[in-house]
Each structure stands twice: as C-alpha cells, then as structure tokens.
Amino acid sequence: GQNIDQPTEMTATEGAIVQINCTYQTSGFNGLFWYQQHAGEAPTFLSYNVLDGLEEKGRFSSFLSRSKGYSYLLLKELQMKDSASYLCAVTDSNYQLIWGAGTKLIIKP
Amino acid sequence: GAVVSQHPSWVICKSGTSVKIECRSLDFQATTMFWYRQFPKQSLMLMATSNEGSKATYEQGVEKDKFLINHASLTLSTLTVTSAHPEDSSFYICSARDILADRPEQYFGPGTRLTVT
C-alpha cells in the first residue's frame, strides 16, 4: 500500500531551527510537496521537490532523497506565526497526491 | 496567479436539507479538481476527484449518491451534500490542478465550513 509517515507533533522555540521529516512508500514518484496549514484554513504551498537535493526558499528549505524515500522541511529563525500543521504529500505514478497526516508544529516564546 | 475560490465560506443548514458548494479556478483552467473533507484536528481526507465532462471518481467509503459532484466546465466544480446530517458537519476544501502547469501542484480554495443542526 501507499504510506507517508511524519511526526504527529513537534515543539520548538522562537528563533530556533526545526526539521520536520517525512518518509514515504508509494507506487511511483512524481514529486513531493510540503504544504502549511493554519487551523481553520486551507493548505498553502511551501515547496516542491522532484530531484534529489536541497531547495532553499527564504527561511524554509526542503530536502529530498528518492533512493531513501525521505524528505525533510527545515524551518529557520522560527517565528510565532510558523505555528501550524505541515503536510507532506507525494505525487504517485498516476499523478495523484498521497497525503501524510501532517505534523503540528508548536512554537514557544 | 493560480487562485481558487470557494463559495460559500461557511454555511449552517438544517438536518435533511441539501447544500451546494462551488469551487472555481479564477485565472487558470482545471481539467481536474479535488474535493477534501477535514474534521477538527485531523488531516485532509480526499473524497473524490472531479474531471471536467466526466463522472467523478470517489474514494472508498464516500457515498456518491450523498455527495454529488459536477464538473461542467474547466473552471467550475460543485459539491452537493444531499440530505445533510450533523455528522456531515466538517470543513470541505477543494483544490484544482492547472492543466498548463509543469508540476502537479494542487491549488487550494479557502474551504467551506459546513454546520448541520
């Protein structure tokens, strides 16, 4: 079956760095997405990785290793507004998005 | 670019009535739209994939006669919750894929909060 695993909840301190991991097992692979979702709102796009390596975009970076079925989202200089759920999603061979359950990130002052 | 709207943003209805939710891609064409449901503190659950001009594909466990999906144009898909019951109260989110985009990203609407009393 298809499966995406990510931690349920993480806590970090304002100004620090946090890494959210995602491992996947899917039938085929056509890219991995990270989305941010604040409570009561729809998800918003953060990053897309289809090749191995690190993609950096401001305070957020995303890494992919296809051979290991592994990705992480790195958030630097954490701000209180970064408190949200972070969703990992993989596009399979049918171009359907397979969603992880999301990681709730709690930022403490 | 790539804006998706949903209407209404919230709705309260009585048990037994039907509710229609619209999802529109405002600045791109979408042959495929997706309907999700999300209960409090839970992850997104894909309900169905809507393809323009054809029948929707429903996920296992989703009643197609209860959740009617119509995708009549490249910019509009509708979800009708028929004979709604309190257990249908949830956050319904649509997303759309740009047919011209070079990556399979889904653009999300802002969601519709449905409360059935």
Side-chain angles (χ1 to χ4, degrees):
Chain A
Q2 310 208 88
N3 193 51
I4 296 184
D5 287 317
Q6 49 181 132
T8 303
E9 186 174 298
M10 298 182 71
T11 302
T13 304
E14 189 177 16
I17 299 173
V18 70
Q19 177 175 310
I20 303 174
N21 296 323
C22 171
T23 58
Y24 63 89
Q25 291 177 308
T26 57
S27 56
F29 178 85
N30 281 300
L32 185 145
F33 291 91
W34 284 97
Y35 282 84
Q36 180 191 60
Q37 185 179 25
H38 285 99
E41 299 180 11
T44 55
F45 169 81
L46 288 179
S47 68
Y48 174 68
N49 294 68
V50 66
L51 299 176
D52 290 349
L54 186 68
E55 295 277 345
E56 296 185 80
K57 190 186 296 184
R59 294 189 298 114
F60 293 4
S61 302
S62 57
F63 171 83
L64 174 68
S65 169
R66 288 171 296 170
S67 62
K68 295 181 179 179
Y70 168 70
S71 172
Y72 68 73
L73 179 70
L74 191 71
L75 292 77
K76 302 177 183 177
E77 301 171 17
L78 287 170
Q79 302 174 10
M80 297 303 293
K81 67 178 182 179
D82 297 330
S83 293
S85 288
Y86 291 86
L87 307 173
C88 173
V90 172
T91 307
D92 68 9
S93 56
N94 294 320
Y95 287 93
Q96 180 156 339
L97 266 182
I98 312 300
W99 292 89
T103 298
K104 181 179 180 180
L105 178 62
I106 300 169
I107 310 297
K108 295 185 175 180
Chain B
V3 178
V4 176
S5 70
Q6 263 184 259
H7 177 80
S9 55
W10 60 270
V11 57
I12 302 173
C13 71
K14 291 185 176 181
S15 187
T17 61
S18 295
V19 174
K20 179 185 283 188
I21 303 170
E22 291 187 349
C23 177
R24 293 181 184 273
S25 56
L26 299 185
D27 52 2
F28 66 97
Q29 293 183 324
T31 53
T32 305
M33 289 184 173
F34 304 86
W35 287 96
Y36 294 87
R37 181 167 53 182
Q38 187 173 35
F39 293 105
K41 299 183 179 181
Q42 295 186 24
S43 187
L44 294 171
M45 288 177 48
L46 179 65
M47 299 175 65
T49 301
S50 165
N51 295 296
E52 185 265 339
S54 64
K55 292 183 179 180
T57 302
Y58 290 82
E59 295 300 301
Q60 194 170 8
V62 178
E63 301 174 57
K64 61 182 179 181
D65 293 332
K66 180 171 182 60
F67 299 99
L68 302 178
I69 292 173
N70 183 276
H71 192 158
S73 77
L74 287 173
T75 59
L76 172 66
S77 176
T78 60
L79 167 68
T80 301
V81 183
T82 62
S83 187
H85 288 95
E87 57 265 32
D88 299 324
S89 298
S90 187
F91 191 45
Y92 291 86
I93 310 173
C94 74
S95 69
R97 183 184 295 152
D98 186 344
I99 61 175
L100 299 179
D102 56 2
R103 66 188 186 200
E105 179 178 347
Q106 292 183 21
Y107 301 99
F108 284 87
T112 297
R113 188 160 303 282
L114 170 64
T115 302
V116 184
T117 61

